Structures are given as C-alpha cells and as structure tokens.
Amino acid sequence: MQDKAYREINHRILRSTYAPGDKISESLLEQDLNLGRTPVREALIRLRRDGLINIVPQSGTYVSKINLSEATNARFVRESVERKVMVEAAAVASESDISYLNDILDKQLAASKNSDHEMFFELDEKFHQYFYKMTNKMIVWNWLQVTNDQLLRFRWLRLKVVQLNWDNLIKEHQKICQAVGKHDPEEAERLSINHLHLMIDEESDVLEIFPNYFI
C-alpha cells in the first residue's frame, strides 16, 4: 500500500495534477487515493527525499516547484548517454525493431490528433526506452529515471504549451527511426542531439506560460 501511494502521488506530481506550489495534506491525499494515513505518510517521506514535496513548519506540505537547474543537468546527462545509445542502435537494429518503433509513432500520431496528453507522453517515453532495450542498456535507462523527475515535469508542461507543436516531436522521432533503420550511426547521433536540445530551445516559452512553477 505504501508503494501504491508513492506511485500514485508521484504520478500526479509529475503530471501536474498536483501542480508546483500546491498545498497538499495527508487528509486530502487519503481522500483522493482512498488509502489510509500510514501509507500516505510513508509515501510523503519518500517524496520529500526525492525533492518533489517540501514541508514548511507551521504552514504545511507543498508540492515543490520545478528545479530548472536540476532539469537542465538531467537533460545534459540524458543527451550525453542517449547519443551513444543511438549509435549502437543503428548498428544492431532489425526490421522487427523498426516495425515496432513505427507502430509506436503511429499511435503517437493518433494521440496527437486526439490531444491525448497522457498517451502521447507515455508513447514518447516508450519510444526512447526501446533504443535502450535494443542495445541491452535497460539498466542505464532505469538509472536515468532516478535522476529524471525534474526533467519529466518540464517535459510534461511542454506538451501543454499550445504553440509548441506536437507534430514537430513526431517528425523528429520519425527521422531518428529512419536513420537507425538505415544503419546510419552518425545521422542517428546528430538527430538525437538535436531532439534532446529542444528543452533549451523551448525553455522560454514554457517559463512564460508557467512562471510560478519554477525555481
């Protein structure tokens, strides 16, 4: 039950259901999650350790604002690792691998047309994760997730900025998939770097829409 409480609260924070700066309480969470006080309390201890909540004495418990410095550093690490993963993926990709990736992209396009933020985001993660699976680097992927919370929160908000077109993300995914399918490691690496550089390119747009969500 503690794990269930942790996963659900974590998910709601990463998706801004509980937005940065929101005040939350054990009683609110117990009601929202239909769980008892003990698992909720234990989950909050873990989330505080993760840097996702702050406890202010004499005031209450708040969802932490997004630490832009941590998100930027997480992006740097992700880019440094993933560009090499793409090089390896281009060397080992099979027809079935490319078919699987194209299936993800078809579903992502459908999610975009339906403005389904949740599905689009999950498919985006699934697309990138598969390259780590292809190259036997799932331990690396799982390690990246440990340091990825602030970046994930930024990326989720990015999807909510209307003027930042989702189609551009899909097109970049398609180009990466094509380069890997053609066994072109240099192009796959170049495209990966450009794709993961989007956070820097779009940072000001996100900050303009959600100025109170960041520190």
Side-chain angles (χ1 to χ4, degrees):
M1 298 303 289
Q2 292 174 13
D3 287 341
K4 180 180 179 181
Y6 173 81
R7 287 194 302 269
E8 185 58 35
I9 300 170
N10 178 278
H11 180 83
R12 294 186 185 202
I13 291 175
L14 295 184
R15 299 295 192 271
S16 291
T17 304
Y18 300 144
D22 278 358
K23 185 175 183 179
I24 57 177
S25 66
E26 290 182 12
S27 58
L28 167 71
L29 296 172
E30 290 166 27
Q31 182 177 350
D32 281 358
L33 306 179
N34 194 27
L35 291 172
R37 177 169 298 180
T38 298
V40 168
R41 183 170 294 172
E42 293 297 323
L44 289 175
I45 291 172
R46 292 170 62 182
L47 290 161
R48 184 183 184 187
R49 191 164 55 235
D50 293 344
L52 292 177
I53 65 167
N54 296 316
I55 298 176
V56 181
Q58 312 303 320
S59 180
T61 301
Y62 297 85
V63 177
S64 68
K65 294 190 177 184
I66 299 171
N67 188 311
L68 195 57
S69 178
E70 288 186 16
T72 302
N73 277 275
R75 186 212 62 81
F76 173 79
V77 172
R78 175 82 174 264
E79 178 188 311
S80 300
V81 172
E82 196 155 310
R83 61 190 291 183
K84 299 304 180 184
V85 170
M86 289 299 177
V87 169
E88 291 192 28
V92 302
S94 65
E95 289 185 8
S96 63
D97 289 326
I98 301 305
S99 177
Y100 181 83
L101 289 166
N102 281 324
D103 182 61
I104 292 176
L105 295 179
D106 288 341
K107 292 176 180 176
Q108 195 171 40
L109 182 60
S112 175
K113 290 179 179 179
N114 294 327
S115 297
D116 188 337
H117 292 72
E118 183 74 30
M119 181 58 66
F120 188 95
F121 194 81
E122 288 183 5
L123 291 166
D124 187 274
E125 285 291 282
K126 192 174 183 180
F127 177 81
H128 286 273
Q129 181 190 56
Y130 192 71
F131 293 101
Y132 292 79
K133 185 175 181 180
M134 284 171 58
T135 56
N136 196 29
K137 296 287 190 302
M138 280 303 297
I139 292 176
V140 177
W141 171 266
N142 292 333
W143 173 76
L144 287 172
Q145 302 316 298
V146 175
T147 61
N148 215 27
D149 283 345
Q150 302 302 330
L151 178 57
L152 285 173
R153 297 174 78 191
F154 178 93
R155 289 176 54 222
W156 175 258
L157 290 179
R158 182 249 179 252
L159 291 181
K160 289 184 169 289
V161 179
V162 177
Q163 64 264 35
L164 300 181
N165 197 326
W166 294 12
D167 291 341
N168 289 338
L169 292 175
I170 297 175
K171 289 176 182 177
E172 293 198 356
H173 283 172
Q174 290 171 335
K175 290 177 181 179
I176 290 170
C177 189
Q178 290 168 3
V180 171
K182 292 177 180 178
H183 305 291
D184 187 341
E186 292 183 358
E187 180 67 358
E189 182 179 18
R190 184 188 70 80
L191 291 168
S192 176
I193 293 170
N194 290 343
H195 182 62
L196 292 170
H197 206 268
L198 280 176
M199 176 185 171
I200 296 174
D201 297 336
E202 299 170 349
E203 182 179 300
S204 60
D205 294 298
V206 177
L207 291 175
E208 184 177 352
I209 301 297
F210 304 102
N212 298 321
Y213 280 12
F214 293 88
I215 56 172

